[in-house]
Amino acid sequence: MSKVLTTPFATLKLDRYPTDSHPSLQAFDAADEYLLNELAALNPTKNSKILVLNDSFGSLACSLANQFSINSYSDSYLAELALYNNLVQNNIPLSTINFIPSTELLLEQYDVVLIKIPKTLALLEEQLIQLQPHITTNTLILAGAMIKHLSKTANELLEKYIGSVQASLAIKKARLLRVTPTHKKLIKSPYPSCYKVKELNLTLINHANVFCREGLDIGTRVLMPYLTYQPHLINVADLGCGNGILGIIFALNNPQAELMLVDESYMAIASAKENWQQALPNRSATIKVADGLLNQAKNSLDCILCNPPFHQQQVIGDFIAKRMFKQARDCLKPQGELWIVANRHLNYYQLLKKLFTQVTTITQTNKFIVLKAIK
Ligand code: SAM
Protein backbone atom coordinates (compact mmCIF):
# COMPACT_ATOMS: atom_id res chain seq x y z
CA MET A 1 0.00 0.00 0.00
CA SER A 2 1.40 3.41 -0.98
CA LYS A 3 1.97 5.88 1.86
CA VAL A 4 2.12 9.66 1.45
CA LEU A 5 5.21 11.60 2.53
CA THR A 6 4.79 15.35 2.84
CA THR A 7 7.83 17.59 3.35
CA PRO A 8 8.59 21.19 2.32
CA PHE A 9 10.03 19.80 -0.94
CA ALA A 10 7.21 17.57 -2.18
CA THR A 11 4.19 15.41 -1.43
CA LEU A 12 4.83 11.89 -2.70
CA LYS A 13 3.18 8.48 -2.79
CA LEU A 14 5.90 6.00 -1.87
CA ASP A 15 6.13 2.20 -1.82
CA ARG A 16 8.65 -0.19 -0.37
CA TYR A 17 10.23 -2.78 -2.65
CA PRO A 18 9.28 -5.61 -2.89
CA THR A 19 5.80 -4.12 -2.57
CA ASP A 20 4.13 -7.29 -1.31
CA SER A 21 6.71 -8.27 1.30
CA HIS A 22 5.70 -6.14 4.26
CA PRO A 23 2.41 -4.35 3.57
CA SER A 24 2.17 -2.82 7.06
CA LEU A 25 5.52 -0.99 6.81
CA GLN A 26 6.01 2.30 5.01
CA ALA A 27 8.73 3.29 2.56
CA PHE A 28 10.15 6.09 4.72
CA ASP A 29 10.81 6.67 8.40
CA ALA A 30 11.01 9.60 10.80
CA ALA A 31 14.74 9.95 10.08
CA ASP A 32 13.99 10.55 6.36
CA GLU A 33 11.41 13.21 7.31
CA TYR A 34 13.82 14.80 9.79
CA LEU A 35 16.62 14.96 7.17
CA LEU A 36 14.32 16.60 4.60
CA ASN A 37 12.78 19.08 7.07
CA GLU A 38 16.19 20.09 8.41
CA LEU A 39 17.57 20.52 4.90
CA ALA A 40 14.59 22.72 3.97
CA ALA A 41 15.21 24.86 7.07
CA LEU A 42 18.82 25.36 5.97
CA ASN A 43 17.54 26.58 2.59
CA PRO A 44 20.09 25.12 0.16
CA THR A 45 20.57 27.07 -3.08
CA LYS A 46 18.59 25.83 -6.07
CA ASN A 47 20.58 23.43 -8.26
CA SER A 48 22.87 22.46 -5.36
CA LYS A 49 24.64 19.17 -6.08
CA ILE A 50 23.27 16.74 -3.53
CA LEU A 51 24.58 13.26 -2.75
CA VAL A 52 22.21 10.89 -0.95
CA LEU A 53 23.71 7.82 0.73
CA ASN A 54 21.70 4.66 1.49
CA ASP A 55 18.26 5.99 0.62
CA SER A 56 16.16 2.97 1.64
CA PHE A 57 13.32 3.21 -0.89
CA GLY A 58 14.04 6.48 -2.69
CA SER A 59 12.11 8.85 -0.39
CA LEU A 60 15.03 11.30 -0.05
CA ALA A 61 16.03 11.35 -3.71
CA CYS A 62 12.44 11.51 -5.02
CA SER A 63 11.61 14.40 -2.65
CA LEU A 64 14.55 16.47 -3.88
CA ALA A 65 14.57 15.44 -7.55
CA ASN A 66 12.66 18.39 -8.98
CA GLN A 67 14.79 21.09 -7.37
CA PHE A 68 18.33 19.82 -7.14
CA SER A 69 20.89 17.76 -8.99
CA ILE A 70 20.76 14.39 -7.19
CA ASN A 71 23.18 11.48 -7.08
CA SER A 72 22.04 8.47 -5.05
CA TYR A 73 24.84 6.21 -3.79
CA SER A 74 23.86 2.77 -2.43
CA ASP A 75 24.90 -0.87 -2.27
CA SER A 76 21.39 -2.20 -2.68
CA TYR A 77 19.79 -3.21 -5.97
CA LEU A 78 16.43 -3.51 -4.16
CA ALA A 79 16.80 0.13 -3.06
CA GLU A 80 17.62 1.06 -6.66
CA LEU A 81 14.45 -0.69 -7.91
CA ALA A 82 12.42 1.03 -5.18
CA LEU A 83 13.83 4.40 -6.25
CA TYR A 84 12.89 3.86 -9.92
CA ASN A 85 9.39 2.59 -9.05
CA ASN A 86 8.74 5.59 -6.81
CA LEU A 87 10.00 8.02 -9.45
CA VAL A 88 7.59 6.50 -11.97
CA GLN A 89 4.71 6.45 -9.47
CA ASN A 90 5.21 10.19 -8.83
CA ASN A 91 5.71 11.17 -12.49
CA ILE A 92 9.30 12.30 -11.89
CA PRO A 93 11.57 11.68 -14.89
CA LEU A 94 14.11 8.90 -14.23
CA SER A 95 16.77 11.14 -15.74
CA THR A 96 16.56 13.54 -12.75
CA ILE A 97 18.51 11.07 -10.59
CA ASN A 98 21.87 9.48 -11.14
CA PHE A 99 22.08 6.19 -9.20
CA ILE A 100 25.67 5.19 -8.34
CA PRO A 101 26.25 1.61 -7.11
CA SER A 102 28.62 1.49 -4.14
CA THR A 103 31.19 -0.38 -6.25
CA GLU A 104 31.59 2.59 -8.60
CA LEU A 105 33.63 5.70 -7.94
CA LEU A 106 32.13 9.05 -7.05
CA LEU A 107 33.19 11.66 -9.58
CA GLU A 108 31.79 15.05 -8.57
CA GLN A 109 32.13 17.57 -5.75
CA TYR A 110 29.01 17.85 -3.59
CA ASP A 111 27.38 20.88 -1.93
CA VAL A 112 25.15 18.75 0.29
CA VAL A 113 25.45 15.15 1.50
CA LEU A 114 22.52 13.37 3.18
CA ILE A 115 23.48 10.09 4.85
CA LYS A 116 21.10 7.42 6.08
CA ILE A 117 23.26 5.45 8.53
CA PRO A 118 23.31 1.84 7.20
CA LYS A 119 23.00 -1.33 9.28
CA THR A 120 26.55 -2.42 8.38
CA LEU A 121 29.01 0.12 9.74
CA ALA A 122 31.82 -1.21 7.55
CA LEU A 123 29.70 0.00 4.61
CA LEU A 124 29.44 3.44 6.23
CA GLU A 125 33.19 3.49 6.79
CA GLU A 126 33.92 2.59 3.16
CA GLN A 127 31.42 5.19 1.93
CA LEU A 128 32.98 7.92 4.09
CA ILE A 129 36.44 7.04 2.77
CA GLN A 130 35.13 7.27 -0.81
CA LEU A 131 33.36 10.53 0.04
CA GLN A 132 36.39 12.36 1.47
CA PRO A 133 37.81 13.69 -1.85
CA HIS A 134 34.33 14.83 -2.99
CA ILE A 135 33.49 17.31 -0.23
CA THR A 136 34.93 20.65 0.85
CA THR A 137 34.80 22.45 4.16
CA ASN A 138 31.69 24.19 2.78
CA THR A 139 29.76 20.98 2.13
CA LEU A 140 26.64 20.62 4.27
CA ILE A 141 26.54 17.10 5.73
CA LEU A 142 23.58 15.66 7.60
CA ALA A 143 23.38 12.05 8.77
CA GLY A 144 20.17 10.55 10.10
CA ALA A 145 18.89 7.37 11.70
CA MET A 146 16.23 6.04 14.01
CA ILE A 147 17.73 6.21 17.50
CA LYS A 148 17.39 2.44 18.02
CA HIS A 149 19.69 1.92 15.00
CA LEU A 150 22.23 4.62 15.87
CA SER A 151 25.44 3.45 17.54
CA LYS A 152 28.37 5.34 19.01
CA THR A 153 30.56 3.83 16.29
CA ALA A 154 28.65 5.66 13.54
CA ASN A 155 29.41 8.91 15.35
CA GLU A 156 33.08 7.96 15.70
CA LEU A 157 33.38 7.09 12.00
CA LEU A 158 31.88 10.45 10.98
CA GLU A 159 34.35 12.24 13.29
CA LYS A 160 37.28 10.16 12.06
CA TYR A 161 36.72 10.62 8.32
CA ILE A 162 34.73 13.88 7.98
CA GLY A 163 34.77 16.21 10.97
CA SER A 164 33.13 17.19 14.24
CA VAL A 165 29.63 15.91 14.89
CA GLN A 166 26.78 17.71 16.54
CA ALA A 167 23.76 15.61 17.50
CA SER A 168 20.25 17.06 17.24
CA LEU A 169 17.35 16.63 19.62
CA ALA A 170 15.29 13.53 18.95
CA ILE A 171 12.12 13.91 16.89
CA LYS A 172 9.73 10.95 16.58
CA LYS A 173 12.54 8.65 17.82
CA ALA A 174 14.91 9.82 15.05
CA ARG A 175 18.12 11.77 15.43
CA LEU A 176 20.26 13.82 13.06
CA LEU A 177 24.01 14.31 13.20
CA ARG A 178 25.30 17.54 11.64
CA VAL A 179 28.87 16.96 10.53
CA THR A 180 31.23 19.88 9.95
CA PRO A 181 33.89 18.82 7.43
CA THR A 182 37.49 19.64 8.29
CA HIS A 183 40.63 18.85 6.27
CA LYS A 184 41.41 15.19 6.98
CA LYS A 185 44.29 13.09 5.77
CA LEU A 186 43.00 10.74 3.06
CA ILE A 187 43.10 7.21 4.45
CA LYS A 188 43.58 4.07 2.41
CA SER A 189 40.47 1.91 2.68
CA PRO A 190 40.82 -1.30 4.76
CA TYR A 191 38.29 -2.90 2.38
CA PRO A 192 38.02 -5.36 0.80
CA SER A 193 39.30 -7.67 3.53
CA CYS A 194 40.18 -11.37 3.26
CA TYR A 195 39.97 -14.58 5.25
CA LYS A 196 41.15 -18.07 4.52
CA VAL A 197 38.90 -21.16 4.33
CA LYS A 198 41.38 -23.86 5.31
CA GLU A 199 39.28 -26.84 4.08
CA LEU A 200 39.29 -25.38 0.57
CA ASN A 201 42.70 -23.76 0.68
CA LEU A 202 40.93 -20.65 -0.57
CA THR A 203 41.26 -17.03 0.50
CA LEU A 204 37.95 -15.20 0.17
CA ILE A 205 37.81 -11.51 -0.66
CA ASN A 206 34.99 -9.54 0.97
CA HIS A 207 33.98 -5.98 0.18
CA ALA A 208 32.68 -3.86 3.06
CA ASN A 209 28.97 -4.76 2.92
CA VAL A 210 29.31 -8.52 2.43
CA PHE A 211 27.49 -10.89 4.78
CA CYS A 212 29.95 -12.44 7.27
CA ARG A 213 32.78 -10.28 5.98
CA GLU A 214 35.17 -11.33 8.72
CA GLY A 215 34.76 -15.11 8.61
CA LEU A 216 32.69 -17.94 7.22
CA ASP A 217 29.10 -18.11 8.51
CA ILE A 218 28.51 -21.10 10.81
CA GLY A 219 25.41 -22.03 8.80
CA THR A 220 27.37 -21.97 5.54
CA ARG A 221 29.93 -24.24 7.20
CA VAL A 222 27.18 -26.74 8.14
CA LEU A 223 25.96 -26.94 4.52
CA MET A 224 29.43 -27.12 2.92
CA PRO A 225 30.13 -30.89 3.31
CA TYR A 226 26.87 -31.74 1.49
CA LEU A 227 27.78 -29.88 -1.70
CA THR A 228 29.29 -33.04 -3.16
CA TYR A 229 29.55 -34.43 -6.71
CA GLN A 230 26.02 -34.79 -8.09
CA PRO A 231 26.25 -35.43 -11.83
CA HIS A 232 22.49 -35.05 -12.47
CA LEU A 233 22.65 -31.37 -11.49
CA ILE A 234 23.62 -29.12 -14.42
CA ASN A 235 21.92 -25.72 -14.12
CA VAL A 236 22.62 -24.57 -10.58
CA ALA A 237 21.95 -21.21 -8.89
CA ASP A 238 23.45 -19.75 -5.72
CA LEU A 239 20.58 -17.54 -4.53
CA GLY A 240 21.79 -14.68 -2.27
CA CYS A 241 25.38 -15.67 -2.96
CA GLY A 242 27.21 -13.16 -0.73
CA ASN A 243 30.92 -13.69 -1.45
CA GLY A 244 30.00 -16.69 -3.65
CA ILE A 245 31.15 -19.41 -1.28
CA LEU A 246 28.31 -21.93 -1.85
CA GLY A 247 28.35 -21.64 -5.64
CA ILE A 248 32.14 -21.87 -5.74
CA ILE A 249 32.28 -25.04 -3.60
CA PHE A 250 29.54 -26.63 -5.67
CA ALA A 251 31.36 -25.76 -8.90
CA LEU A 252 34.69 -27.12 -7.58
CA ASN A 253 33.02 -30.47 -6.80
CA ASN A 254 30.87 -30.56 -9.95
CA PRO A 255 32.77 -29.94 -13.17
CA GLN A 256 29.60 -30.57 -15.23
CA ALA A 257 27.61 -27.80 -13.53
CA GLU A 258 26.82 -24.39 -15.00
CA LEU A 259 26.58 -21.90 -12.20
CA MET A 260 24.63 -18.68 -11.75
CA LEU A 261 25.33 -16.57 -8.65
CA VAL A 262 22.96 -13.73 -7.74
CA ASP A 263 22.76 -11.20 -4.93
CA GLU A 264 21.09 -7.84 -4.38
CA SER A 265 24.28 -6.27 -2.96
CA TYR A 266 26.67 -4.75 -5.48
CA MET A 267 29.56 -5.39 -3.10
CA ALA A 268 28.57 -9.05 -2.70
CA ILE A 269 28.60 -9.49 -6.48
CA ALA A 270 31.98 -7.73 -6.81
CA SER A 271 33.36 -10.08 -4.13
CA ALA A 272 31.79 -13.20 -5.71
CA LYS A 273 33.28 -12.31 -9.12
CA GLU A 274 36.77 -11.87 -7.64
CA ASN A 275 36.49 -15.08 -5.60
CA TRP A 276 35.23 -17.10 -8.57
CA GLN A 277 38.06 -15.78 -10.73
CA GLN A 278 40.55 -16.86 -8.09
CA ALA A 279 39.06 -20.33 -7.48
CA LEU A 280 37.98 -21.23 -11.03
CA PRO A 281 39.95 -18.99 -13.41
CA ASN A 282 39.23 -21.11 -16.49
CA ARG A 283 35.54 -21.62 -15.97
CA SER A 284 32.72 -19.23 -16.84
CA ALA A 285 29.70 -18.46 -14.67
CA THR A 286 26.90 -15.92 -14.58
CA ILE A 287 27.45 -13.69 -11.56
CA LYS A 288 25.08 -10.76 -11.38
CA VAL A 289 23.15 -8.31 -9.26
CA ALA A 290 19.49 -9.33 -9.24
CA ASP A 291 16.34 -9.40 -7.16
CA GLY A 292 16.64 -13.11 -6.45
CA LEU A 293 15.30 -15.18 -9.34
CA LEU A 294 12.73 -12.62 -10.43
CA ASN A 295 13.90 -12.60 -14.05
CA GLN A 296 14.89 -16.27 -14.26
CA ALA A 297 12.88 -18.46 -16.65
CA LYS A 298 10.37 -20.78 -14.99
CA ASN A 299 11.28 -24.51 -14.89
CA SER A 300 14.89 -23.80 -15.89
CA LEU A 301 17.09 -24.87 -12.95
CA ASP A 302 18.14 -28.28 -11.61
CA CYS A 303 19.30 -27.05 -8.25
CA ILE A 304 19.27 -23.90 -6.09
CA LEU A 305 21.56 -23.36 -3.09
CA CYS A 306 20.45 -20.81 -0.53
CA ASN A 307 21.45 -19.50 2.89
CA PRO A 308 18.46 -17.18 3.12
CA PRO A 309 18.67 -13.61 4.42
CA PHE A 310 16.87 -12.76 7.64
CA HIS A 311 16.62 -9.00 7.26
CA GLN A 312 16.04 -6.29 4.67
CA GLN A 313 18.03 -3.26 5.77
CA GLN A 314 17.04 -2.86 9.45
CA VAL A 315 13.84 -4.96 9.31
CA ILE A 316 14.26 -8.52 10.55
CA GLY A 317 11.84 -11.26 9.44
CA ASP A 318 11.33 -14.27 7.22
CA PHE A 319 9.54 -12.36 4.44
CA ILE A 320 12.55 -12.29 2.08
CA ALA A 321 13.29 -15.98 2.62
CA LYS A 322 9.64 -16.88 1.92
CA ARG A 323 9.74 -14.86 -1.28
CA MET A 324 12.98 -16.60 -2.31
CA PHE A 325 11.48 -20.05 -1.68
CA LYS A 326 8.51 -19.21 -3.91
CA GLN A 327 10.84 -17.93 -6.64
CA ALA A 328 12.92 -21.10 -6.25
CA ARG A 329 9.88 -23.36 -6.64
CA ASP A 330 8.83 -21.54 -9.81
CA CYS A 331 12.30 -21.60 -11.41
CA LEU A 332 13.17 -25.23 -10.62
CA LYS A 333 12.45 -27.94 -13.18
CA PRO A 334 10.10 -30.72 -12.00
CA GLN A 335 12.16 -32.85 -9.55
CA GLY A 336 14.57 -29.91 -9.17
CA GLU A 337 16.20 -29.47 -5.74
CA LEU A 338 16.34 -26.50 -3.35
CA TRP A 339 19.05 -26.86 -0.70
CA ILE A 340 18.89 -24.45 2.21
CA VAL A 341 20.65 -23.90 5.51
CA ALA A 342 18.91 -21.87 8.18
CA ASN A 343 18.49 -21.34 11.88
CA ARG A 344 16.41 -24.22 13.25
CA HIS A 345 14.03 -21.99 15.17
CA LEU A 346 12.76 -20.44 11.91
CA ASN A 347 10.91 -23.67 11.11
CA TYR A 348 11.38 -23.45 7.36
CA TYR A 349 10.57 -27.17 7.15
CA GLN A 350 6.82 -26.46 7.49
CA LEU A 351 7.01 -23.57 5.07
CA LEU A 352 8.82 -25.62 2.41
CA LYS A 353 6.37 -28.52 2.88
CA LYS A 354 3.61 -26.20 1.64
CA LEU A 355 5.56 -25.27 -1.50
CA PHE A 356 7.41 -28.47 -2.49
CA THR A 357 6.52 -32.13 -3.07
CA GLN A 358 9.08 -33.55 -0.67
CA VAL A 359 11.26 -32.02 2.06
CA THR A 360 14.12 -33.92 3.73
CA THR A 361 16.26 -32.95 6.70
CA ILE A 362 19.85 -33.58 5.60
CA THR A 363 21.53 -32.67 8.88
CA GLN A 364 21.04 -30.50 11.93
CA THR A 365 23.10 -29.02 14.72
CA ASN A 366 21.98 -27.24 17.92
CA LYS A 367 21.43 -24.12 15.89
CA PHE A 368 21.22 -24.93 12.18
CA ILE A 369 19.32 -27.22 9.88
CA VAL A 370 20.05 -28.23 6.28
CA LEU A 371 16.93 -29.02 4.25
CA LYS A 372 16.53 -30.39 0.74
CA ALA A 373 13.19 -29.60 -0.93
CA ILE A 374 12.19 -31.35 -4.16
CA LYS A 375 9.71 -29.74 -6.56
N1 SAM B 1 25.38 -17.36 0.46
C1 SAM B 1 26.21 -16.51 1.29
C2 SAM B 1 26.81 -17.28 2.42
O1 SAM B 1 26.36 -18.41 2.67
O2 SAM B 1 27.73 -16.79 3.07
C3 SAM B 1 25.41 -15.30 1.82
C4 SAM B 1 24.19 -15.64 2.62
S1 SAM B 1 23.43 -14.25 3.42
C5 SAM B 1 22.62 -15.03 4.79
C6 SAM B 1 22.06 -13.84 2.39
C7 SAM B 1 22.38 -13.04 1.14
O3 SAM B 1 21.15 -12.78 0.44
C8 SAM B 1 23.02 -11.67 1.39
O4 SAM B 1 24.24 -11.61 0.70
C9 SAM B 1 22.00 -10.66 0.84
O5 SAM B 1 22.61 -9.53 0.23
C10 SAM B 1 21.27 -11.51 -0.19
N2 SAM B 1 19.92 -11.03 -0.55
C11 SAM B 1 18.97 -10.50 0.24
N3 SAM B 1 17.87 -10.22 -0.47
C12 SAM B 1 18.11 -10.58 -1.74
C13 SAM B 1 17.36 -10.55 -2.95
N4 SAM B 1 16.11 -10.09 -2.99
N5 SAM B 1 17.94 -11.00 -4.07
C14 SAM B 1 19.22 -11.49 -4.05
N6 SAM B 1 19.97 -11.55 -2.93
C15 SAM B 1 19.42 -11.11 -1.80
Side-chain angles (χ1 to χ4, degrees):
M1 191 180 64
S2 305
K3 301 271 164 69
V4 176
L5 169 65
T6 301
T7 67
F9 297 108
T11 294
L12 301 169
K13 267 170 74 181
L14 297 169
D15 276 322
R16 295 171 73 87
Y17 182 91
T19 41
D20 54 353
S21 63
H22 230 303
S24 62
L25 293 178
Q26 57 187 26
F28 54 89
D29 61 19
D32 293 320
E33 290 180 80
Y34 202 168
L35 280 166
L36 291 165
N37 289 329
E38 184 71 12
L39 182 64
L42 293 165
N43 202 12
T45 46
K46 210 170 174 343
N47 298 325
S48 290
K49 273 206 163 49
I50 300 186
L51 179 68
V52 176
L53 266 66
N54 313 314
D55 196 5
S56 309
F57 300 100
S59 61
L60 298 172
C62 289
S63 298
L64 300 169
N66 282 329
Q67 295 174 46
F68 304 99
S69 154
I70 307 292
N71 284 353
S72 178
Y73 190 43
S74 165
D75 190 48
S76 168
Y77 180 63
L78 298 187
E80 184 181 356
L81 293 178
L83 167 64
Y84 293 138
N85 288 349
N86 283 322
L87 285 170
V88 170
Q89 165 152 267
N90 290 283
N91 298 318
I92 304 168
L94 298 188
S95 58
T96 54
I97 298 197
N98 179 30
F99 182 87
I100 310 171
S102 57
T103 44
E104 284 180 21
L105 293 175
L106 294 172
L107 296 173
E108 297 179 275
Q109 293 289 319
Y110 295 100
D111 305 309
V112 177
V113 181
L114 298 184
I115 305 173
K116 257 322 257 306
I117 307 281
K119 184 176 169 64
T120 306
L121 291 175
L123 172 62
L124 177 66
E125 183 172 28
E126 172 66 10
Q127 290 177 325
L128 296 179
I129 293 170
Q130 296 306 325
L131 183 61
Q132 278 186 323
H134 301 279
I135 53 172
T136 67
T137 48
N138 292 324
T139 304
L140 168 66
I141 303 185
L142 297 173
M146 298 307 292
I147 291 172
K148 63 179 176 192
H149 301 142
L150 194 58
S151 72
K152 216 170 129 234
T153 315
N155 221 308
E156 287 164 2
L157 290 171
L158 289 163
E159 297 238 351
K160 177 174 176 186
Y161 293 106
I162 308 293
S164 60
V165 173
Q166 200 190 345
S168 72
L169 292 174
I171 296 183
K172 291 204 258 174
K173 298 185 181 162
R175 198 181 297 290
L176 294 192
L177 304 172
R178 170 98 185 246
V179 195
T180 307
T182 44
H183 288 293
K184 296 269 180 189
K185 210 173 130 224
L186 297 187
I187 296 177
K188 190 177 170 328
S189 172
Y191 309 105
S193 53
C194 296
Y195 61 82
K196 187 157 185 165
V197 186
K198 278 201 200 111
E199 304 89 308
L200 301 172
N201 192 25
L202 203 66
T203 298
L204 291 175
I205 294 166
N206 299 277
H207 288 270
N209 199 32
V210 170
F211 169 76
C212 275
R213 181 180 54 77
E214 289 174 328
L216 205 57
D217 175 46
I218 319 169
T220 310
R221 202 176 273 286
V222 175
L223 174 55
M224 265 165 56
Y226 300 92
L227 303 178
T228 51
Y229 178 53
Q230 296 173 70
H232 62 295
L233 302 178
I234 309 293
N235 296 109
V236 178
D238 180 348
L239 175 55
C241 65
N243 60 21
I245 179 72
L246 296 178
I248 289 172
I249 299 175
F250 193 89
L252 288 168
N253 292 337
N254 288 274
Q256 82 294 346
E258 290 171 20
L259 268 290
M260 176 177 77
L261 283 64
V262 293
D263 203 286
E264 78 94 23
S265 153
Y266 280 93
M267 288 190 177
I269 289 305
S271 311
K273 281 184 177 167
E274 289 169 47
N275 290 326
W276 180 281
Q277 181 57 29
Q278 226 197 119
L280 296 142
N282 300 318
R283 188 145 151 208
S284 65
T286 304
I287 305 177
K288 62 180 185 187
V289 171
D291 174 11
L293 299 171
L294 192 65
N295 296 322
Q296 177 69 21
K298 306 275 175 276
N299 302 311
S300 61
L301 298 168
D302 296 305
C303 176
I304 296 169
L305 312 170
C306 187
N307 178 1
F310 42 84
H311 65 87
Q312 181 179 12
Q313 295 165 14
Q314 321 276 12
V315 181
I316 294 171
D318 60 5
F319 52 100
I320 302 197
K322 281 185 182 164
R323 189 164 167 271
M324 282 184 166
F325 297 160
K326 286 186 188 148
Q327 288 181 343
R329 184 219 26 217
D330 292 346
C331 295
L332 283 170
K333 298 176 187 167
Q335 295 299 307
E337 302 172 10
L338 168 66
W339 287 72
I340 71 149
V341 60
N343 262 291
R344 273 172 61 168
H345 76 266
L346 292 169
N347 204 5
Y348 285 151
Y349 183 89
Q350 292 306 333
L351 185 62
L352 290 170
K353 281 275 266 193
K354 290 188 190 140
L355 296 171
F356 290 81
T357 311
Q358 192 190 326
V359 183
T360 313
T361 300
I362 301 295
T363 189
Q364 49 189 317
T365 65
N366 296 346
K367 226 178 142 195
F368 291 97
I369 187 162
V370 173
L371 297 169
K372 172 176 154 181
I374 298 186
K375 182 164 168 179

